[in-house]
Amino acid sequence: VERFDVKRRAREELRLGQVLEAVWRDIASQARLSKGAIYYYFSSKHEILFSILDTYMDSLLEGLEEELRDVPP
C-alpha cells in the first residue's frame, strides 16, 4: 500500500463536507464560540483558511529572508 492508496481510500470514506464541518465545529469549540459566532470575526470558512495560510507563509518568508542574510554574496 502506498501513500496515494491511503489518500484515495480515505477520500472515498470521508466526504470533504463532513470533514470541514467537523473541523469548523472543533475550531468553534476550542475558541469557546458557537459556529455562528465565528462569522463575527471571519466572513467565511475561506477567509479563516486564507488568514491561517497567509500567516504561515509570512512566517516562512521571514525565516527564509533571515537565512539568506547570512549567506555571503
Side-chain angles (χ1 to χ4, degrees):
V1 175
E2 295 182 22
R3 181 180 170 98
F4 175 79
D5 294 326
V6 172
K7 271 178 61 174
R8 184 174 50 83
R9 290 186 179 122
R11 187 177 60 237
E12 291 168 1
E13 292 298 319
L14 299 171
R15 298 291 175 241
L16 184 58
Q18 294 168 336
V19 172
L20 291 177
E21 184 62 29
V23 169
W24 200 243
R25 191 172 44 248
D26 292 342
I27 290 168
S29 175
Q30 290 296 317
R32 297 183 181 178
L33 296 170
S34 69
K35 289 189 302 182
I38 293 174
Y39 290 103
Y40 177 78
Y41 301 98
F42 296 93
S43 63
S44 68
K45 293 176 185 178
H46 290 107
E47 184 183 354
I48 193 170
L49 178 60
F50 178 81
S51 177
I52 292 166
L53 292 173
D54 188 48
T55 301
Y56 180 71
M57 291 304 295
D58 284 346
S59 176
L60 285 175
L61 289 173
E62 286 175 16
L64 180 59
E65 288 171 351
E66 287 178 22
E67 291 293 323
L68 290 174
R69 278 189 222 116
D70 295 336
V71 175

